[in-house]
Amino acid sequence: VRVFAVPLCDAGAAVATGSAETFAMLGITLSVGNNTSTTFSANAVDSAGNVSGCSGNATYVEDSTTPAAPAGTGVTPQGPANNNAPVVSGVAEANTTIRIYAGDTTCTATPTTGAVSDAGQFAVTVAVGDNTTTSFYGRVVDSAGNVGSCTAVPLNAVPYIEDSNAPAAPGAPDLDAGSDTGASNSDNITNNATPTLPGTVEGFAMV
């Protein structure tokens, strides 16, 4: 069997030869350059020197290029949130696999994985614990198995805060002195139909 590094066994010397048994059982080892696309074809020559027709073409792509690190575009929902499954979004090399690491700056722990679309976008749901603050890191693996570097900065510019703790009950409201009309501004008796009632509550909470 003669193997050519051109389509249709076109004129030129074969790049490799081997017996029919080797070709059928083990295959014939060839050599190609890094980051190249090569179309191979083959024919057979019998012991009498008769040459067969050419095989079909087979194109082999050698990819040694490491994909670039991904970049984050956001986390949904924004923290603080009572949500243990935020979605980390970003951009990366198209048609690759994104690996996301929660709190792991070296990208060596067990990741959450997802697909990067044809448009080079990803949105991956990750798990976080109750009442935690998490930065996410990532790396990309392409279809040839090349593993990209870990992100130097988190995918989320602001750490994601998961908050499952209910706030403490607010303090009892007390009529504002400016709303307390009449003889006393501290007896909580007023003819003001839109009084102001100040009180105390956990920071950033809604009353």
Side-chain angles (χ1 to χ4, degrees), residues 3-34:
V3 179
F4 302 83
V6 291
L8 304 175
C9 305
D10 206 358
V15 296
T17 60
S19 68
E21 291 83 3
T22 298
F23 185 66
M25 298 180 63
L26 301 176
I28 296 174
T29 301
L30 304 166
S31 178
V32 297
N34 288 335

Side-chain angles (χ1 to χ4, degrees), residues 184-202:
S184 171
N185 65 359
S186 61
D187 61 2
N188 293 335
I189 300 173
T190 183
N191 67 358
N192 189 335
T194 57
T196 300
L197 297 171
T200 57
V201 70
E202 179 182 308

Side-chain angles (χ1 to χ4, degrees), residues 66-203:
T66 300
T73 56
V75 177
T76 306
Q78 292 184 342
N82 184 6
N83 188 319
N84 299 102
V87 176
V88 179
S89 301
V91 293
E93 182 179 314
N95 301 311
T96 57
T97 298
I98 178 73
R99 295 177 178 176
I100 296 178
Y101 304 81
D104 177 18
T105 60
T106 62
C107 296
T108 55
T110 300
T112 301
T113 62
V116 182
S117 70
D118 292 345
Q121 300 175 334
F122 63 85
V124 180
T125 301
V126 296
V128 298
D130 287 343
N131 306 308
T132 54
T133 299
T134 309
S135 291
F136 300 102
Y137 298 83
R139 70 189 334 160
V140 172
V141 182
D142 68 18
S143 58
N146 298 305
V147 180
S149 58
C150 187
T151 47
V153 297
L155 295 171
N156 49 329
V158 177
Y160 176 75
I161 298 174
E162 202 293 329
D163 181 4
S164 298
N165 286 332
D174 185 36
L175 187 65
D176 183 77
S179 297
D180 196 346
T181 63
S184 171
N185 65 359
S186 61
D187 61 2
N188 293 335
I189 300 173
T190 183
N191 67 358
N192 189 335
T194 57
T196 300
L197 297 171
T200 57
V201 70
E202 179 182 308

